[in-house]
């Protein structure tokens, strides 16, 4: 939602203010600490969620505050994935339904088992994390960051909006299917039958999308609006109907013809002509189809298999015992993909020695974008969590700038006798790739590196728009 009025709601605990001293209080070393701990002296849960040491005790709920709370409370994705992958490695799925076993085999077969393919997979994961990548979108960034007319910049944003809707059309159609199924649960029997009759011919495929969207717009939505009005419905059904209208609008906005029209409007500006002189608007769809993002998305076949696997596990198809594990995975992935997460997150499953393993990675490619000490220099941070069979869990944190690397590896106790060997091999690996190991720490017995400690900017947002109703 656009913040037109610049209205903000402070999240308590993040204001850069000093504690207020009250001379009227006695025999209390820290008044904030005195009211923020329970009888046993432990911080209260709400203070853990919004940051210990909070001064103000008034809680202003906001979307960002809710995200911070979920970040602290959501299960660790690494631990949940370890349980799931251990069950796959031990083939502890023999009691699961045949359909789920088949999904598991398809997912495992889609994973790579060679080091060369793992590198290509890692690059593909990075490319699918950023939709607007490549030379063409680099030109659009120059326009947005330059001194071009506001009308041109608004046209660029509209074009990107339509392209995004077009790229997400398959997901939007699936969301429409799910929303209609949810609406059905809130209607009386007669209305259900009428709705089923209206939607009986819908396939939710891209081939018949135009005609099906017209059915939804001309028949289904008016029927729902009439039903809501007559039944004086002001609850979930009304919300779902509004959501259906929003999804329908996005599908129509993402029609290929509308994307071409938006680009044709852009090419009428002299500011675009100097970058893309003579560009044919009718060829824009081919340009978009050949972008790094679209090509990488087609090659990442395991992603769709993994989505199907998690979806089946969440709905209980893996068995009641494993349902909660898949719910934990889904919850953790949603939090990592939040609009409030300022860093890139990627999951890298692969096969090694006949077993399924994984790495989880967070990357901040613009770690020093606002640095006052080194303006113009750009560094990058990376946190990698991985698990090696029979050894344990590893945490790898590194910072890179100007060809120099600072690295910290937290290893399990089982490699304590091999620390010097690990340190030497890491130094050789860094040098082999044309980098310099400025600082290198290899330790055991250390706790896992918290995400908010590796990337403190997650916790640095001080204000957010409160759009919660």
């Amino acid at each position: 939602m656009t913040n037109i009025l610049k209205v903000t709601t402070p999240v308590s605990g993040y204001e850069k203010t000093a504690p207020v001293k009250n001379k009227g209080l006695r025999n209390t070393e820290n008044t904030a600490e005195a009211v923020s701990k329970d009888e046993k002296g432990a911080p209260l849960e709400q203070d853990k969620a919004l940051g210990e040491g909070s001064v103000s005790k008034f809680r202003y709920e906001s979307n960002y505050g809710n995200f911070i709370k979920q970040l602290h409370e959501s299960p660790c994705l690494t631990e949940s994935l370890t349980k799931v992958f251990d069950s796959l490695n031990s083939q502890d799925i023999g009691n699961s339904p045949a359909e789920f076993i088949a999904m598991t085999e398809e997912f495992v077969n889609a994973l790579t088992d060679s080091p060369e393919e793992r590198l290509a997979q890692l690059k593909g994961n990075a490319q699918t994390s950023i939709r607007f990548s490549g030379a063409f979108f680099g030109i659009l960034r120059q326009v947005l960051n330059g001194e071009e007319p506001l009308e041109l910049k608004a046209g660029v944003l509209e074009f990107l909006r339509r392209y995004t809707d077009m790229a997400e059309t398959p997901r939007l159609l699936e969301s429409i299917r799910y929303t209609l199924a949810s609406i059905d649960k809130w209607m009386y029997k007669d209305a259900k039958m009428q709705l089923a009759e209206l939607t009986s011919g819908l396939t939710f495929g891209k081939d018949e999308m135009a005609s099906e969207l017209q059915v939804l717009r001309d028949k289904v939505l008016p029927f729902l609006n009439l039903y809501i009005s007559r039944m004086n419905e002001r609850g979930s059904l009304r919300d779902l109907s509004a959501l259906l209208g929003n999804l329908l609008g996005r599908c129509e906005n993402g029609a290929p013809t509308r994307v071409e029209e938006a680009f044709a409007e852009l090419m009428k500006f002299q500011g675009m002509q100097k970058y893309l002189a003579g560009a044919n608007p009718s060829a824009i769809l081919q340009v978009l189809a050949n972008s790094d993002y679209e090509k990488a998305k087609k090659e990442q076949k395991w992603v769709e298999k993994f989505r199907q696997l998690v979806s089946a596990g969440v709905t209980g198809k893996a068995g009641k015992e494993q349902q909660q594990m898949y719910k934990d995975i889904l919850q953790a992935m949603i939090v990592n993909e939040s609009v409030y997460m300022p860093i890139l997150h990627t999951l890298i499953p692969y096969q090694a020695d006949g077993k399924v393993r994984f790495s989880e990675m967070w990357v901040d490619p613009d770690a020093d974008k606002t640095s006052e000490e080194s303006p113009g220099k750009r560094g990058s941070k990376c946190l990698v969590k991985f698990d090696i069979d029979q050894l344990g869990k590893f945490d790898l944190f590194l910072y890179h700038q100007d060809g120099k690397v600072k690295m910290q590896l937290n290893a399990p106790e089982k490699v304590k006798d091999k620390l010097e060997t690990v340190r030497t091999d890491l130094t050789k690996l860094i040098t082999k790739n044309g980098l310099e190991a400025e600082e290198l720490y290899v330790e055991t017995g250390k706790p896992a590196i918290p995400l908010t400690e590796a990337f403190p900017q997650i916790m640095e947002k001080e204000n957010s728009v409160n759009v919660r109703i």
Side-chain angles (χ1 to χ4, degrees):
M1 177 181 292
T2 305
N3 183 13
I4 300 175
L5 301 179
K6 305 298 181 183
V7 180
T8 59
T9 302
V11 179
S12 45
Y14 294 94
E15 302 87 353
K16 295 181 180 179
T17 56
V20 179
K21 296 182 179 180
N22 191 332
K23 297 182 179 180
L25 295 176
R26 294 291 185 269
N27 301 324
T28 303
E29 295 181 1
N30 189 325
T31 58
E33 184 178 327
V35 296
S36 65
K37 293 189 176 182
D38 58 18
E39 296 177 356
K40 297 181 181 180
L44 297 175
E45 290 299 322
Q46 60 265 33
D47 287 323
K48 290 180 181 179
L50 291 177
E52 296 182 17
S54 173
V55 178
S56 174
K57 298 305 157 188
F58 295 99
R59 302 298 173 190
Y60 300 94
E61 192 177 59
S62 68
N63 284 350
Y64 177 72
N66 191 38
F67 160 72
I68 293 296
K69 183 178 180 181
Q70 290 184 31
L71 188 63
H72 283 274
E73 294 180 352
S74 62
C76 178
L77 180 57
T78 306
E79 295 179 2
S80 300
L81 284 169
T82 299
K83 296 177 182 178
V84 171
F85 280 71
D86 284 347
S87 68
L88 296 179
N89 291 334
S90 62
Q91 297 184 356
D92 187 24
I93 58 173
N95 297 326
S96 302
E99 180 183 359
F100 183 78
I101 295 177
M103 287 184 182
T104 303
E105 292 176 349
E106 290 179 1
F107 168 66
V108 174
N109 293 335
L111 300 180
T112 177
D113 57 357
S114 69
E116 295 78 10
E117 292 178 350
R118 289 176 204 161
L119 179 59
Q121 179 180 320
L122 177 59
K123 293 180 179 179
N125 286 356
Q127 290 173 345
T128 54
S129 299
I130 307 175
R131 172 173 287 139
F132 306 120
S133 60
F136 174 72
F137 292 105
I139 292 175
L140 298 185
R141 284 192 181 88
Q142 293 182 41
V143 174
L144 292 174
N145 295 329
E147 298 181 356
E148 305 296 339
L150 292 178
E151 293 81 1
L152 174 56
K153 293 183 178 181
V156 170
L157 294 177
E158 177 60 25
F159 168 76
L160 294 176
R161 188 178 297 110
R162 294 187 186 184
Y163 165 61
T164 300
D165 290 340
M166 183 182 70
E168 295 184 356
T169 294
R171 182 187 65 81
L172 294 173
L173 292 174
E174 188 62 29
S175 297
I176 289 177
R177 183 203 301 271
Y178 179 80
T179 303
L180 286 172
S182 301
I183 288 175
D184 180 80
K185 300 176 183 178
W186 294 94
M187 303 181 76
Y188 289 107
K189 185 176 181 180
D190 292 343
K192 284 184 180 182
M193 295 176 62
Q194 296 180 54
L195 180 62
E197 183 178 352
L198 291 174
T199 59
S200 59
L202 301 181
T203 62
F204 302 99
K206 294 190 67 174
D207 296 337
E208 305 293 334
M209 186 179 68
S211 59
E212 293 187 358
L213 292 181
Q214 185 174 359
V215 171
L216 291 171
R217 181 179 60 252
D218 297 342
K219 296 182 179 180
V220 176
L221 279 180
F223 169 74
L224 291 175
N225 292 337
L226 182 61
Y227 179 84
I228 291 172
S229 178
R230 287 180 176 178
M231 302 302 296
N232 197 27
E233 171 65 51
R234 295 294 183 269
S236 298
L237 181 58
R238 184 184 182 185
D239 295 339
L240 289 170
S241 179
L243 175 60
L244 179 64
N246 176 267
L247 295 171
L248 174 61
R250 290 192 61 187
C251 285
E252 293 177 335
N253 188 58
T257 54
R258 289 184 58 82
V259 176
E260 289 182 351
E261 292 171 0
F263 185 72
E265 290 296 319
L266 286 181
M267 294 308 298
K268 295 179 181 179
F269 289 90
Q270 293 296 325
M272 285 297 296
Q273 287 290 341
K274 68 181 181 182
Y275 292 107
L276 300 170
N280 185 2
S282 61
I284 186 60
L285 296 181
Q286 188 64 32
V287 173
L288 296 174
N290 292 327
S291 66
D292 295 340
Y293 171 82
E294 294 292 343
K295 290 190 292 186
K297 187 173 66 172
K298 295 177 182 178
E299 296 174 358
Q300 300 294 307
K301 298 180 180 180
W302 71 268
V303 175
E304 179 60 22
K305 303 297 181 183
F306 185 68
R307 185 196 67 81
Q308 295 174 359
L309 191 68
V310 173
S311 177
V314 168
T315 55
K317 293 182 180 179
K320 197 68 176 178
E321 299 83 359
Q322 299 190 38
Q323 187 174 15
Q324 187 58 46
M325 287 195 303
Y326 285 96
K327 287 184 177 180
D328 292 344
I329 291 175
L330 181 61
Q331 172 67 19
M333 293 184 70
I334 290 175
V335 171
N336 277 289
E337 297 301 323
S338 169
V339 295
Y340 296 108
M341 180 66 78
I343 54 180
L344 301 177
H345 171 259
T346 184
L347 180 66
I348 313 169
Y350 59 92
Q351 290 191 69
D353 301 328
K355 295 184 178 181
V356 179
R357 294 172 179 168
F358 75 94
S359 297
E360 191 177 8
M361 181 185 299
W362 294 266
V363 179
D364 179 12
D366 300 317
D368 288 328
K369 184 170 61 174
T370 59
S371 174
E372 296 180 358
E373 298 179 359
S374 55
K377 294 184 179 181
R378 176 163 296 183
S380 57
K381 289 182 181 179
C382 178
L383 174 63
V384 185
K385 293 179 180 287
F386 57 97
D387 196 340
I388 298 180
D389 192 32
Q390 298 181 355
L391 287 181
K393 300 175 182 177
F394 291 76
D395 279 17
L396 174 66
F397 177 74
L398 63 88
Y399 173 79
H400 168 259
Q401 186 183 48
D402 291 341
K404 298 181 179 180
V405 174
K406 298 179 181 179
M407 181 181 294
Q408 174 184 344
L409 177 65
N410 289 3
E413 288 289 344
K414 291 185 179 180
V415 298
K416 187 174 184 179
D417 298 335
K418 301 289 185 180
L419 290 184
E420 192 59 37
T421 302
V422 173
R423 187 179 293 105
T424 302
D425 291 345
L426 284 175
T427 303
K428 292 180 180 178
L429 185 62
I430 294 172
T431 305
K432 181 180 178 181
N433 286 274
L435 302 173
E436 177 186 347
E438 187 176 19
E439 295 181 45
L440 180 59
Y441 302 94
V442 181
E443 302 173 312
T444 61
K446 300 295 182 180
I449 301 176
L451 185 61
T452 52
E453 184 175 326
F455 305 98
Q457 66 267 36
I458 296 176
M459 307 291 289
E460 288 176 358
K461 186 177 177 68
E462 297 181 5
N463 300 298
S464 65
V465 180
N466 187 357
V467 294
R468 186 180 298 275
I469 298 176

